[in-house]
Amino acid sequence: MSTKHNLIAPRTTGEWQAADSQHYLHPFTDFKQLAAQGSRIITSADGVYLRDSEGHRILDGMAGLWCVNLGYGRRELAEAAYNQMLELPYYNSFFKSAHPPAIELASLLAEVTPPQFSRVFYAGSGSEANDTIVRMVRRYWDLCGEPGRHTIISRENAYHGSTMAAASLGGMRPMHEQGGLPIPGIVHIEQPYWYENAGDLAPEEYGIKAARRLAEKIEELGPKNVAAFIGEPVQGAGGVIVPPPTYWPEIQRICDHYGILLIADEVICGFGRLGSWFGSQHFGFRPDIMTLAKGITSGYQPLGAVMVGDRMAEVLIEKGGEFHHGYTYSGHPVACAVAIRNIRILRDEGIVERVRTDTGPYLQQRWRELAEHPLVGEARGIGFIGALELVADKATRRFFPKRGDVGTICRDHCFANGLVMRAVRDTMIISPPLIMERAHIDELIEKAWRCLDLTARDLTNA
Ligand SMILES: *Cc1c(COP(=O)(O)O)cnc(C)c1O
C-alpha cells in the first residue's frame, strides 16, 4: 500500500471499508447495499493495471471511467501539475485576467480540433460543459433575434452528465425520476440502437429511420422553436450504442435543412477513443459545438471544455455583451497544464494513429471472436470502445427477462478474475487505455471469455 508521503496512514482493507461506509457517500451508488458488501479499495495503478488493497493486479478495461487514455503512471503529467502548482497554482480568468496555461491550451485545442473550431470556453467537468451549452445555445438564438428557438433535442438513454441541465439533456429515466427532471425545453427521441430497436431492418435502413425521428420531432415542435440537437457520436454510458454508418450524415442533413445547431458531446469519443481525434471525424459530420472532458487530461486532473464553432462564436462576440456565466475553476492552470502535456503526448507519440491503424483494428478483430460465445448476441465496437450483448437467445435477439441481472453476474466474475469490464443492463462494455498493446488485448479477450463461461455456468446451475 502506497503511503509514500505520510499523508495517509496505512489501514487494512477492513478498516478502509469500515471508514468508507461510515463517512463516504459514493456517486451512483445504493449506499446501504454498498455498506453491506464493502467497497473495493484501489490503492495504485501503473500502465494498464490497477492494484487493490489485497494486492490483486487488475487489467483496466475501462480506463478508469473512460478517461485514462494515456494509462496510469505517466511522470510527464505529474510533473506538469507539480511545476504548474509551484509557478501559479490558481488564478481566475474573470475580470480581464488570463494566464499562460489556459491560453496555450486554447491555442492547442484550436489546432487539434476540426477547422470550424477556434475558440474554447472552459469548465471543470463534462457536466459543467454541457450545462454551459444549454445557456450558450439559447443565448445565441436570442442574439440572432430568434428567442423562440429554445428547445434542445436529445436522445433516450443518452448520457451528458449529472448536473440539473446535463442530466436533463441525458435520457436516463432513473435519473429524471429523482429531482424533477428534465428541466423545461429539453425533449428526447429514439436512440439509434440497432440491436434492440431495428426489427427486420438492415443497419443502413435503420440508421436513416432513427435519424428521421429528429425531423419528425422538429416538425412536431415547430421548426422555429428548436435550438439544437445534441448527441454522443457513440453513446457510452448508455451501453456503447454504435449508430449505423447512415445515421450521422442524415442527422447532419436534417440539422442543415432546419438550420438548427448540431452539438457533439465528445466527452468519451474525443482524444482518440475511436481511432480519430474526435468522433465526428470518424462518422463524417460537422458539429457547431463540441463538449470535451475525460480524455482531455487522461483523467489526471478534472477539466471540461466547450469548443464553440465559428458560426456561433462570431455572433456571441459581435452582438454579445456580457455572457453571465463561468466557474471559479474555468481554465484552472494546473488542469490546463496537464491537458497540454497530455495532448502533446497523444500527438507526438502517434497514439491516435496507432489506435486507428494497428491496435484498434486488432482489438476489434479479437473482440468479435467473443460473438462465438453462446451467451453473446452481438459483439460491436470501433477503435478502443466495445460492447457485448448478453442474451437469452441469439437467433431471435431475445434479452433475459429481468434486464441487468446477468450483466451484474458477469461483471462480478470479471473483477474477481482480474479484469474491469462494466455492465450496462446486460451489455458488457469496454473502453481501455489507448496505450494497450497486443499482448494486453490478448489478455483482455482471454479473461473476458473465461468470465463469460463462468457466467453461463451460473445460469445453468441457477
Ligand atoms: C462522463 C460524461 C459526461 C459527464 O462528464 P463529468 O465529467 O462526469 O461531469 C458527459 N458526457 C458524456 C458523453 C460522458 O461520458
Side-chain angles (χ1 to χ4, degrees), residues 66 124-128 130 159-162 232 237 265 267-268 293-294:
W66 327 83
S125 66
S127 301
E128 287 181 8
N130 282 323
Y159 188 78
H160 297 297
S162 201
E232 305 152 78
D265 181 337
V267 169
I268 287 177
K294 294 193 171 122

Side-chain angles (χ1 to χ4, degrees), residues 201-220:
L201 294 181
E204 290 70 20
E205 285 173 281
Y206 174 70
I208 300 286
K209 181 182 166 196
R212 297 251 164 100
R213 299 286 190 217
L214 175 59
E216 290 160 19
K217 184 57 84 178
I218 293 171
E219 288 295 342
E220 179 193 319

Side-chain angles (χ1 to χ4, degrees), residues 182-200:
I183 59 172
I186 295 175
V187 298
H188 301 83
I189 58 171
E190 178 176 340
Q191 57 180 332
Y193 190 3
W194 178 81
Y195 193 78
E196 176 157 3
N197 294 347
D200 294 332

